[in-house]
Amino acid sequence: MIAENKVIEVKNLTKKFNNLVAVDELNLTVFKGDIFGFLGPNGAGKSTTIRMLLTLIKPDSGTIKIFGKDLLKDRLSILRNVGSIVEKPDFYGYLTAYKNLEILGKISGIDVSKKLIMKNLELVGLAERYNSKVKTFSHGMKQRLGIAQALLHDPELIILDEPTTGLDPMGMKEIRDLIIYLSKDLKKTIFLSSHLLNEVEMVANRMIIINKGRAQVEGYVKELLNKNKLFVSIEVEDGQIAFNIIKDSRWIDSMRNHINNTFEFNVEANEIPYLNKFLVENDIMVNSIIPKRSLEEYFLKITQEANNGRFNKN
Amino acid sequence: MVDLIRIELYKIFKKWRTYIGFIALGILVPLIHIAMLIEGKTTIDFMTRNIQESFVLVGNLLNTYLISYIILTSLAVHIPFLITLVSGDLLAGEATSGTYRLLITRPISRTKLILVKFIAGFIYTNLLILWLAFLSLVLGYFIFGSGELLIIDGQMVIIFESNDVLWRFLLAYGFATLGMTTVSSLAFLFSSLVENAIGPIISTMAIIIVFIILSAIQVDFFQNLKPYLFTTHIMSWRLFFEQPLDINEILKSGFILLGHILFFFFLTLTLFNKKDILT
Amino acid sequence: MLLLILFFLFIDLKAQTIDPNQLVRDVIERFSQVRDYEADIEIKVDVEFLKVPDSKAKLYFKQPDRVKLKSDGFALLPKDGVDFSPSSIIKGNYTAIFERKEELNGIETSVIKVVPINESTNIILSTVWIDNKNKIIRKVESTTKTQGTYTIELFYDENSKYPLPKQMIFSFNVDKLNLPQTFTNTTPKSSKKKFRDGPVVGKVYVNYKNYQVNKNLSDKIFEDDTK
């Protein structure tokens, strides 16, 4: 892909809160036209990353480029072309849906005509309630209003943080259809965070899985979720030597992650013996090849770990 | 910019808490008027008791000016509370309602956002003082009429001619606005640090009350401290009711308050620009 | 020679035998021509602790001792200076003692000490300068039990038909006022603004104009309205 097509380019992004590393040397790239799934269990660092993408939080280190421009230097011109929902959709509850959109549009510096506001409210099915105070809205309605405000200024990039949380299956489907419509018909680039693999699978073309602030796998959804491919974790004696050998081989393409002495590969089942053979032939001492899983199983595993961790803490 | 300020004011005046100040004054001031209708004569007699021992007094000393003066003196501690109700909420309210996320993800700089909110808070402060001035002077005029203003200044009794008073009040209200803007900027500073308006309101009031108590302690140490406390200078509107006018002292207090306002504002700006929005 | 000395001595004695009681009676008698009056007055107060604008008022008097000060705005007069009628200055039973003759502002006056006999009066001793010729009081100096000492100087239009002054200067010595501390001005610097202890001198200047004498003022004017 050529550089102009990179809508978001994150490099070595790190953010710590006191001693907790929320985002750790994260790299990711979103291309023009992508519906990019940003997948990870709760607490993986998704929200922190999104907040950094939207300048709510300042990174400790690393760079963020959006539309090829440095986010911190060209914040205003970038944000003019970004629409977003961050976490739960909060509004000025004491104002009407219409007034909320009018205010937000004005702050964005656009001409907010009644027509524009109503068009967006219609898109999310809230036109009839335009004059109701937002505090009377259900969660689902607020979620839809959130999408309306994200689209109001006709941005190129739309960042949606868990937009289906708390919705019933019907509502979830509506949102999914809307995302596909935005991508296919309006040619928007969409950055969609979720903790649900199937949700990402249904709409996204590319995705990244993060856990504990680090990227685990990144790639095309179809390829990553290929049922024939397995997700294997290989532990070696010396990770550095192993990596030097792997990086010059064809195996680098299927390597998804590398932390110290542990490598993770996404390979077809019948290729595993060849991978093992390659390592051993290059004098790499393989300690273990941990259970072969599909990406789906892998994601389930890290989600469970995250949830267990959460329950244990409580 | 004007549009943004208008939006901010719209938000302020769509909130119920904004009207607490106006309602409170709308009740308090007429209450003082009623009390003065009943007890005013006694108050005047009390104030002039020593003069009446030696002098025969005639004239309407119980007039809108005296009552406005008494109101402004008595409400000096209460109006800051009404101011902080709104100023303390300006930023913290956005945190509470989660709407920081809506604002800061928009193409507007944080500096501009702070400036707009600060100006909106300033306008609110002005309106509240204007309301106070209206209730005190105008409503008072229809009840008590105009007349000479009797002031007891330290050990001096000053009586201002009735046509020599209005400008003093206008300047005093202007100065009171400056004082209240200082309170407002302090509450605003605290408001930028926390996620709930209660904290800024309580902190600001605590500081004001502690400062006022310190100034009231008749110990040299605290008395020497007095000129450095901004609360002392908030009361400097009274300097306009002196004969002759001490311009130097007025300017000094004015600049001290202005200095506080600028300091609080720029501190808020610096802190807010660095702030990670986690709400 | 001795005779001559005796003669002059006699003359001198004769000159000194002014009856102070008669003189006071004469003054009161002359003033009784004024049954009532109404005057526009201008008051200027020059007192360190009392900053008051110059004021205008109307003063009403009706025999024997009724006075009323009325003003659209604010006005203040020293209590002891409101009524300058001789009968008010020299009230009740008194003992009058002739002191000396003295030239006061180029006018010959008799200086008379008036000591009230009545215990209830506030005045301990008054010294009165009486213009023998015109039978008017030119100056009074009174020492009171509670208000310190005050002096009233009266200036007249010499062509006036009635013994009514055109100006009064009221001077007094009083201790500083004990002011209530409520509603007082406590600005940052007010602590500096302290007066020296001890009595201070104050003066009140009153100018009288447009006298209207013996117009049969209604009693209503003197009724106490609450204004």
Side-chain angles (χ1 to χ4, degrees), chain C residues 25 128 134 139 155 161 206 216:
Chain C
R25 275 197 297 274
V128 187
N134 293 308
K139 184 179 173 184
F155 301 92
K161 184 180 164 195
V206 185
N216 288 321

Side-chain angles (χ1 to χ4, degrees), chain A residues 114-124:
Chain A
K114 181 163 188 182
K115 201 177 141 198
L116 177 73
I117 293 172
M118 291 313 290
K119 189 189 95 186
N120 278 281
L121 285 172
E122 263 160 39
L123 184 70
V124 295

